[in-house]
Amino acid sequence: MPGLVEAHSHVMQGAFWKRVYCGYFDRMDPEGRVWPGLTTIDNLLVRLSKADREFEDRTKPLAGWGFDPLYWGSERLQRRHLDQVSTSRPIGILHASCHILNVNTKTLKMAGLLRSGLKHPGLPLGEDGLPEGELRGHECMALANRHVGFMREELANDEFGFRQFAKQCVRTGVTTATDLAAVLPDDAVKMMLRVTAEQDFPVRIAAMRKFINLTGPDLIRVARELGDLSTDGLRLGSIKVVADGSIQGFTARLCAPGYFNGAPNGIWYMPREHIEEVSRLALKENVQMHVHTNGDQATQLVLECIQKSLKKHAWSDHRFTMQHCQLASRNQLKKMRELGLCANLFSNQIFFWGDLHCKYTVGPKRARNMNACRSALDIGVPTAIHSDAPITPLSPLFTAWCAVNRLTHSGQVLGKHECITIDEALYAITMGAAYTLKLDSEIGSIEKGKRADFAILEQDPTEVDIKNLKDIEVWGTVQDGRVFPASEQ
Amino acid sequence: MNQELQQSDRIQVTIVGGYLGAGKTTLINHLLRNANGKRLAVLVNEFGKLPIDGDLIESIEGEVINVVGGCICCSYGESMISGLMDLTDIKPSFDCVVIEASGVAIPGSIATTVQLLDGFSLNGIITIADCDTLLDFVEDPYLSDTIKTQFAHSDITIVNKTDLANEETHTAVIDWLSQNYPTTQLIETCRTIVPPEIALDLGNDSGQRELFQSNDSHASAFTSTSVQLENAMDIERLAEALASKALGLIRVKGFMKSGDGTIKSLQTVGRRWEIKPVQKQVPCHMVLIGMKSNWNPQSLQSLIAKFVV
């Protein structure tokens, strides 16, 4: 079939594999090795201790990622557990959500946090009045990130990680992927340009410049300059704007009635005026914009901003894309169609956090309407679906399975009325995704004049039982006419 | 970082919050202009322009603007905390840091995090309200809760641009703020012209310096008194008294002997107060800043005298 397109991922997924996988679910690494999921603290400590022994430089940090204790019940990881692995080197374990970090005593010391008298909602204290080692939220995590190797700048310019990401793409049938929130410092751009130009680099990367660290007008200028550097292998020139936080982190902005468990509404990541300004300039300068919204209030606000901007600068084919857009209502989807927006929905959430959304965040009624692929397609919104790797695993066939079955981890079907067919899901992970990247004239289907990008599967996905869609083995890919067997990665 | 860092050596952090257009940038330029030889570092939020007036800029190096008088201004990008931590690598170190929060950030939550950082201590939270538009934002369904939370932990709230608002709006804003945030100290200005001592800890000079003056009628509405403190004081009770709402002092900074003979620093910002040990020898005195409209140096003197031990 056509090469698969992952329209919302982060290439730092590759660099994460230099660290220890600590997730609850089995996950395949770029070399094809499956790391079994960890279901108890003891399992976790055994894996970390083994990594500690193999990692000879005793001064270097030991880092883990993908940790997902939500499924563990009441058992909570504390620094005393991680101290059993090592008291001499810093240890940091990043949660799957990327919003919480667990550290050992050594890391706390290095971060200047092994003190009493600290008071912060993101820093739970033990009976001794000292932090337990859990750092919640980006600001708390920022105190320790540099000691355990989770600095975003480092991850952005990690060539090894970039190559690992590409290997993973081959294993999952992906021939075009995205780096959806890149800061794109010069050295990282140079590295990516060089590596993607290599004869045997197997994936095309579209990298969007994140709206951070500069003003709206500067962002548009930088995006246009980056656009001029675009090559076949590295597509630059579009931007990413983040409007709110995440639903499972209770930081997404929700319309009434708000969070199901009564948590206060989430937070805006930037003032409306900035979203408005940047959307206006993007339309004017023909720079494509991707906007992260999770909550329905954020989606509404962004729609209003874009509608206003479109009145000033019409661009018939802007294809601004709402990323995640998980709680979009039918009315909002209609508005998106009217304004010419695309939706890239986060179907993987249904499996990984669907049960949690029912119980805590939005309640069963709204959870059943989350990531409403059926509605989006019926209304006529150009739709893609995504993994947001490393938040959930990179694998478009798995994402398609989620959109087709809408099964949660506990096995319940969450909103049967929003299920889509296999054909529709396969379209979403090829042409649908390519359309949101404005690459649909080059990739996404097997047609004369298009690039020779194929995903080579061991079974025909249109003939398997819908329950087995995620289990289809990938032989490898053909990317731009070059053959890449998964077994050789 | 040095674990033994003395409390008094910590870099003082002032957080300036408020929605877009409230006057944060004007305040920051004003502070840079009147930093009085102190080294000031300004960290701005991730989407704003680096907000420095052209004539103050000495040079620009990447994301850092060098400002006359050894001050700098830089954008903190992904993480305000990382931005602060990076400042500790710069020598000589800064006397004060001002964080300009993004228009939708919650200054109180930034303050909570600053307090986790070794090497820094919170000087105060200043939230600025645009007198003319504040109540519109309070009604805005998207912003209402954010705006309300922004004032929740504000030590000093500057009601700015009072000249642009009509009388009725002006009164309504003051009423709304004083009813909902009884512990915040309200200050009214036209162009955020306030004595820099209100926003910054300008250190332990002997208190002889004149309070910042300007022709702006609002700036001249402030006044200060310097008090020599020869005797040991009951500092905690004094602090409570000086921070009381009834007294309405904007800021107090002083050094004094405590009952056990050690020297301590006392600082109040609106209703909040803080006492820290001091290692070096400093003259014992105190500067009090307030509004001319309710200023009575004699009664302040006698109030302070009550806490001599």
Side-chain angles (χ1 to χ4, degrees):
Chain A
M1 65 177 293
L4 307 182
V5 181
E6 173 52 83
H8 191 144
S9 55
H10 303 277
V11 299
M12 69 176 171
Q13 165 70 85
F16 273 24
W17 281 112
K18 278 207 252 182
R19 297 154 175 88
V20 183
Y21 176 64
C22 302
Y24 180 85
F25 299 94
D26 297 354
R27 196 142 161 173
M28 188 194 284
D29 73 12
E31 315 296 341
R33 174 174 169 196
V34 175
W35 291 79
L38 299 172
T39 51
T40 64
I41 286 183
D42 288 340
N43 287 166
L44 172 73
L45 297 183
V46 167
R47 183 173 296 172
L48 288 172
S49 296
K50 184 159 179 287
D52 177 67
R53 283 193 300 275
E54 288 166 2
F55 192 12
E56 279 169 18
D57 187 341
R58 309 297 308 172
T59 61
K60 288 271 165 60
L62 180 67
W65 64 283
F67 182 50
D68 213 351
L70 290 171
Y71 299 104
W72 290 17
S74 59
E75 206 178 11
R76 285 184 51 229
L77 185 66
Q78 298 182 353
R79 68 184 158 93
R80 60 184 167 86
H81 297 119
L82 294 177
D83 287 347
Q84 293 170 34
V85 178
S86 175
T87 50
S88 60
R89 73 159 105 231
I91 301 178
I93 311 295
L94 188 63
H95 287 224
S97 68
C98 292
H99 289 282
I100 303 177
L101 182 75
N102 275 95
V103 300
N104 65 346
T105 302
K106 174 77 178 176
T107 311
L108 275 184
K109 251 187 226 160
M110 293 171 81
L113 288 172
L114 199 65
R115 296 180 274 150
S116 53
L118 297 173
K119 237 174 93 183
H120 193 285
L123 195 73
L125 304 178
E127 278 169 11
D128 55 0
L130 295 171
E132 281 178 337
E134 188 161 291
L135 310 176
R136 299 179 189 155
H138 285 297
E139 294 300 354
C140 272
M141 288 163 58
L143 294 160
N145 276 343
R146 61 184 63 196
H147 303 297
V148 293
F150 279 119
M151 290 294 278
R152 216 152 167 135
E153 297 81 357
E154 275 168 54
L155 293 167
N157 193 19
D158 186 324
E159 181 172 337
F160 175 80
F162 191 59
R163 293 179 187 281
Q164 292 294 92
F165 180 75
K167 285 186 180 182
Q168 226 173 340
C169 288
V170 173
R171 292 195 179 281
T172 51
V174 174
T175 50
T176 301
T178 39
D179 192 14
L180 209 80
V183 181
L184 298 175
D186 289 348
D187 47 356
V189 173
K190 273 190 202 133
M191 180 275 285
M192 287 161 89
L193 283 169
R194 173 171 51 78
V195 173
T196 51
E198 286 172 6
Q199 264 313 304
D200 55 354
F201 191 75
V203 63
R204 190 178 298 102
I205 303 287
M208 291 70 176
R209 174 58 161 91
K210 189 175 176 184
F211 187 9
I212 196 148
N213 238 352
L214 28 69
T215 62
D218 285 341
L219 173 70
I220 300 297
R221 180 182 50 76
V222 167
R224 297 206 41 129
E225 285 167 11
L226 284 166
D228 292 339
L229 301 175
S230 264
T231 58
D232 279 353
L234 182 65
R235 304 304 172 98
L236 301 163
S238 53
I239 57 169
K240 163 85 175 286
V241 174
V242 181
D244 68 344
S246 73
I247 301 170
Q248 69 270 29
F250 299 96
T251 48
R253 290 290 308 191
L254 267 51
C255 290
Y259 285 101
F260 190 62
N261 68 351
N265 207 347
I267 50 179
W268 295 109
Y269 276 33
M270 78 174 60
R272 160 173 66 193
E273 287 78 354
H274 289 316
I275 300 176
E276 215 173 280
E277 178 188 41
V278 84
S279 67
R280 191 177 68 240
L281 294 171
L283 288 167
K284 186 172 170 222
E285 299 292 330
N286 292 7
V287 169
Q288 196 199 4
M289 179 167 93
H290 296 264
V291 194
H292 160 125
T293 69
N294 264 313
D296 44 355
Q297 194 188 37
T299 299
Q300 188 63 30
L301 177 126
V302 170
L303 283 172
E304 287 170 16
C305 288
I306 294 176
Q307 182 166 26
K308 247 191 195 172
S309 299
L310 275 165
K311 282 188 184 140
K312 295 205 173 102
H313 298 286
W315 177 14
S316 57
D317 192 27
H318 59 78
R319 293 193 216 175
F320 284 6
T321 301
M322 296 288 217
Q323 297 288 343
H324 306 323
C325 195
Q326 297 198 68
L327 289 170
S329 65
R330 287 184 68 89
N331 274 335
Q332 289 175 335
L333 290 165
K334 283 179 196 159
K335 191 54 137 184
M336 288 169 66
R337 179 186 139 79
E338 188 188 307
L339 299 177
L341 284 145
C342 313
N344 190 0
L345 301 173
F346 198 171
S347 296
N348 282 18
Q349 278 259 346
I350 294 163
F351 177 76
F352 289 105
W353 286 291
D355 297 316
L356 193 80
H357 290 314
C358 284
K359 245 170 138 173
Y360 305 109
T361 65
V362 294
K365 200 167 157 221
R366 281 179 286 169
R368 283 195 288 270
N369 295 323
M370 283 179 88
N371 294 297
C373 291
R374 175 81 272 142
S375 295
L377 291 177
D378 289 350
I379 287 166
V381 179
T383 301
I385 48 180
H386 67 269
S387 69
D388 198 13
I391 307 297
T392 72
L394 176 75
S395 170
L397 285 174
F398 176 83
T399 305
W401 174 86
C402 288
V404 168
N405 294 287
R406 292 184 69 93
L407 275 171
T408 69
H409 171 249
S410 74
Q412 67 165 317
V413 177
L414 194 61
K416 196 167 176 37
H417 61 285
E418 290 295 351
C419 291
I420 56 175
T421 66
I422 285 200
D423 285 343
E424 287 167 331
L426 295 177
Y427 188 88
I429 58 173
T430 52
M431 277 301 276
Y435 188 84
T436 67
L437 304 175
K438 294 200 161 191
L439 292 176
D440 53 309
S441 60
E442 277 183 69
I443 60 169
S445 61
I446 301 173
E447 277 180 73
K448 185 164 77 72
K450 280 196 167 182
R451 291 184 184 271
D453 285 3
F454 311 114
I456 302 163
L457 310 180
E458 298 288 2
Q459 273 174 291
D460 181 346
T462 60
E463 283 177 6
V464 299
D465 184 296
I466 58 167
K467 297 272 177 290
N468 301 330
L469 189 55
K470 65 178 167 53
D471 305 315
I472 294 177
E473 277 186 40
V474 176
W475 179 89
T477 61
V478 172
Q479 206 262 8
D480 223 3
R482 302 164 303 166
V483 181
F484 298 101
S487 58
E488 288 176 19
Q489 293 305 307
Chain B
M1 203 171 289
N2 182 4
Q3 296 283 319
E4 309 300 313
L5 211 59
Q6 292 303 333
Q7 284 283 326
S8 56
D9 292 336
R10 291 166 168 252
I11 302 174
Q12 297 278 315
V13 180
T14 303
I15 297 157
V16 177
Y19 201 67
L20 296 192
K24 301 191 292 282
T25 301
T26 314
L27 176 62
I28 280 163
N29 277 288
H30 174 63
L31 297 176
L32 284 167
R33 240 172 240 291
N34 299 285
N36 259 312
K38 297 288 171 180
R39 293 193 76 220
L40 183 59
V42 176
L43 290 181
V44 301
N45 76 77
E46 57 274 55
F47 319 109
K49 266 195 210 97
L50 290 176
I52 309 304
D53 291 345
D55 64 309
L56 289 174
I57 296 175
E58 216 155 57
S59 62
I60 299 177
E61 293 166 47
E63 276 154 16
V64 179
I65 298 181
N66 294 304
V67 180
V68 289
C71 301
I72 65 158
C73 173
C74 48
S75 167
Y76 57 72
E78 294 268 355
S79 160
M80 182 264 296
I81 289 296
S82 298
L84 272 177
M85 291 164 88
D86 291 343
L87 287 182
T88 58
D89 298 336
I90 302 177
K91 295 285 174 281
S93 67
F94 293 95
D95 299 304
C96 317
V97 177
V98 177
I99 296 175
E100 188 203 287
S102 116
V104 285
I106 308 301
S109 91
I110 295 178
T112 316
T113 312
V114 164
Q115 286 167 311
L116 293 181
L117 263 175
D118 223 1
F120 294 87
S121 71
L122 180 68
N123 181 278
I125 304 174
I126 298 181
T127 313
I128 312 180
D130 178 336
C131 187
D132 199 29
T133 58
L134 175 69
L135 295 178
D136 298 337
F137 288 134
V138 171
E139 296 294 315
D140 185 314
Y142 294 112
L143 284 175
S144 185
D145 60 320
T146 304
I147 298 289
K148 288 176 183 165
T149 320
Q150 285 182 340
F151 292 107
H153 299 97
S154 181
D155 295 311
I156 295 174
T157 297
I158 299 180
V159 180
N160 191 32
K161 303 189 185 178
T162 49
D163 52 333
L164 298 181
N166 63 36
E167 183 94 25
E168 197 186 331
T169 310
H170 187 170
T171 315
V173 165
I174 300 295
D175 286 352
W176 184 80
L177 285 168
S178 24
Q179 274 161 24
N180 291 291
Y181 309 96
T183 60
T184 193
Q185 174 70 43
L186 293 181
I187 295 179
E188 297 178 43
T189 67
C190 291
R191 286 177 298 281
T192 59
I193 305 295
V194 297
E197 293 85 347
I198 282 178
L200 304 173
D201 176 13
L202 292 182
N204 46 10
D205 50 15
S206 64
Q208 298 306 317
R209 192 162 42 81
E210 285 289 298
L211 194 60
F212 169 81
Q213 292 298 336
S214 108
N215 295 330
D216 187 295
S217 63
H218 281 284
S220 54
F222 299 97
T223 188
S224 70
T225 297
S226 179
V227 181
Q228 300 306 312
L229 302 166
E230 308 298 337
N231 303 306
M233 310 292 290
D234 182 344
I235 305 181
E236 284 206 12
R237 285 187 50 225
L238 174 64
E240 274 172 30
L242 292 174
S244 75
K245 187 173 169 65
L247 211 54
L249 291 175
I250 299 170
R251 221 180 218 294
V252 174
K253 172 80 191 259
F255 298 91
M256 61 209 72
K257 278 203 262 325
S258 60
D260 62 10
T262 59
I263 307 274
K264 300 241 161 93
S265 81
L266 156 65
Q267 160 149 259
T268 74
V269 187
R271 306 289 82 82
R272 195 159 56 78
W273 53 268
E274 194 173 39
I275 296 165
K276 295 175 184 173
V278 177
Q279 301 304 316
K280 356 179 220 242
Q281 276 302 316
V282 285
C284 287
H285 79 286
M286 180 157 62
V287 179
L288 306 97
I289 304 176
M291 307 300 292
K292 267 186 190 154
S293 50
N294 66 347
W295 202 244
N296 187 341
Q298 279 76 40
S299 74
L300 284 174
Q301 292 268 15
S302 45
L303 175 82
I304 293 164
K306 284 188 200 160
F307 298 96
V308 171
V309 291

